[in-house]
């Protein structure tokens, strides 16, 4: 009898040991994941605040950057700066405190403020992105009337409207979190009621996407047509000059000016197109997961990853400006020697 029970006891002990090892391994994995998220958030805070502050400063002090398109960029950078200065530090504090206490410890008011800042920064980014694309559309389609239409007062009004729309959407979603979930233990956007998620999906994603696709598509088509027409006119004038032997091959300064101005607008447009694609890649997972989470429960790791993607976008934008836009790089270099200061 004792001989029979001994193997059973041994198997039971082995099973308990295996379970303990699995629990220890799982706990160790969670701790490693928590440390990784904390380090990543700290890096993103530094990049988002310093990078976007540099962009705002350049537009403020450099004459070459004081044009409507870069005013809109400064507005978008300010929203990303707010994300790095106010939203991410609270996220980092929440992440660290939750690892030890398992709850939100900063109070109900701070919870609502944090959720509100999250959404107003994201909404302001996408609405300012729409404004930038609309501005490029006007610059390419109506270059002669662009400066008269896009004066300083009009720029201020457009930026004000974009931030007002962001404010309205952020207020609506923050109210939605108070009626959808209990944020006394966990301060979270997840679990938002379906009607609130639907409004975010339509007003904060579908409508801006449709606008961006339409405007950017039109800009590409019209800019290509303009370049082809100018090129054909240059060839025609060069041929006529060669026949009459009057300044052979010389193109009138006005045509050369039009071509150079259009190329400059296209270069700026390409930079903003890259920024648009980057933002959509980071914004799409969050909005889709938020929509799904109002119906089904989404794994925590997937939720966290979508939020980290949003934070990465705020940190990456200044580096996209610097890498893809020569004018921005030149202004940045001149700013160190005060050559571009007003």
């Amino acid at each position: 009898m004792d001989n029979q029970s001994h193997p059973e006891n041994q198997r039971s002990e082995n099973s308990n040991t295996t379970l303990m090892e699995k629990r220890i391994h799982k706990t160790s994995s969670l701790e490693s994941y928590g440390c990784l998220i904390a380090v990543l958030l700290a890096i993103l805070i530094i990049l988002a605040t310093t990078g976007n502050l540099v962009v705002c400063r350049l537009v403020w002090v450099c004459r070459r950057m004081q044009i409507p398109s870069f005013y809109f960029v400064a507005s978008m950078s300010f929203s990303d700066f707010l994300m790095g200065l106010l939203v991410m530090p609270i996220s980092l504090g929440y992440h660290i405190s939750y690892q030890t206490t398992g709850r939100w410890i900063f109070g109900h008011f701070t919870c609502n403020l944090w959720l509100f800042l999250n959404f107003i920064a994201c909404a302001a980014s996408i609405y300012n992105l729409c404004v930038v694309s609309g501005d490029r559309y006007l610059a390419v389609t109506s270059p002669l009337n662009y400066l008269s239409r896009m004066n300083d007062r009009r720029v201020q009004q457009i930026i004000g409207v974009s931030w007002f729309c962001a404010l309205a959407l952020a207020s609506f979603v923050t109210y939605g979190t108070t009626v959808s979930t209990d944020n006394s233990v966990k301060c979270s956007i997840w679990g938002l009621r379906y009607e609130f998620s639907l409004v975010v999906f339509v007003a904060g994603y579908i409508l801006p996407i449709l606008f961006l696709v339409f405007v950017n598509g039109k800009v590409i088509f019209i800019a290509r047509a303009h370049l082809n027409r100018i090129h054909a006119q240059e060839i025609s004038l060069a041929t006529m000059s060669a026949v009459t032997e009057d300044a052979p091959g010389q193109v009138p300064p006005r045509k050369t000016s039009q071509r150079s101005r259009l190329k400059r607008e296209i270069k700026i447009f390409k930079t903003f197109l890259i920024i648009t694609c980057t933002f959509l890649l980071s914004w799409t997972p969050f909005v889709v997961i938020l929509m799904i989470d109002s119906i089904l429960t989404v794994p925590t790791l997937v939720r966290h990853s979508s939020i980290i993607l949003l934070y990465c976008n705020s940190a990456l934008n200044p580096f996209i400006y610097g890498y893809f836009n020569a004018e921005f790089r030149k202004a940045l270099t001149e700013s160190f020697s005060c050559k571009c200061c007003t």
Side-chain angles (χ1 to χ4, degrees), residues 141-189:
T141 57
S142 306
L144 299 179
N145 300 323
Y146 172 72
L147 290 178
S148 60
R149 287 183 180 181
M150 202 60 67
N151 52 48
D152 289 345
R153 184 179 179 184
R154 183 66 58 82
V155 168
Q156 293 171 3
Q157 290 173 346
I158 292 173
I159 291 175
V161 170
S162 65
W163 277 91
F164 177 79
C165 293
L167 175 67
L169 182 61
S171 301
F172 177 80
V173 178
T174 304
Y175 169 75
T177 61
T178 61
V179 299
S180 301
T181 59
D182 180 14
N183 284 333
S184 59
V185 177
K186 291 183 179 181
C187 183
S188 175
I189 186 62

Side-chain angles (χ1 to χ4, degrees), residues 20-33:
M20 286 288 292
E21 289 176 350
K22 287 182 178 180
R23 288 175 182 174
I24 292 171
H25 178 71
K26 185 177 180 180
T27 303
S28 177
S29 299
L30 289 174
E31 288 177 354
S32 300
Y33 172 73

Side-chain angles (χ1 to χ4, degrees), residues 168-230:
L169 182 61
S171 301
F172 177 80
V173 178
T174 304
Y175 169 75
T177 61
T178 61
V179 299
S180 301
T181 59
D182 180 14
N183 284 333
S184 59
V185 177
K186 291 183 179 181
C187 183
S188 175
I189 186 62
W190 307 112
L192 199 64
R193 274 175 16 194
Y194 180 77
E195 58 268 28
F196 293 99
S197 298
L198 185 62
V199 170
V200 175
F201 188 69
V202 174
Y205 185 72
I206 295 297
L207 294 180
I209 287 289
L210 293 175
F211 178 81
L212 290 170
V213 170
F214 170 77
V215 169
N216 289 323
K218 289 284 287 184
V219 168
I220 294 172
F221 178 78
I222 293 171
R224 186 176 297 172
H226 280 352
L227 283 175
N228 290 338
R229 185 167 63 249
I230 293 173

Side-chain angles (χ1 to χ4, degrees), residues 27-94:
T27 303
S28 177
S29 299
L30 289 174
E31 288 177 354
S32 300
Y33 172 73
C35 291
L36 178 63
I37 293 296
V39 171
L40 182 58
L41 281 173
I43 294 172
L44 291 176
I45 288 170
I46 296 170
L47 294 178
T49 51
T50 55
N52 288 290
L53 189 60
V54 167
V55 174
C56 293
R57 178 185 176 274
L58 281 180
V59 177
W60 179 264
V61 303
C62 292
R63 289 189 182 92
R64 68 170 62 249
M65 304 289 285
Q66 292 174 358
I67 57 177
S69 57
F70 284 112
Y71 284 139
F72 298 135
V73 167
S75 178
M76 188 164 62
S77 292
F78 182 69
S79 66
D80 290 334
F81 174 71
L82 288 180
M83 183 74 83
L85 182 68
L86 300 176
V87 177
M88 293 187 201
I90 298 177
S91 298
L92 178 59
Y94 182 22

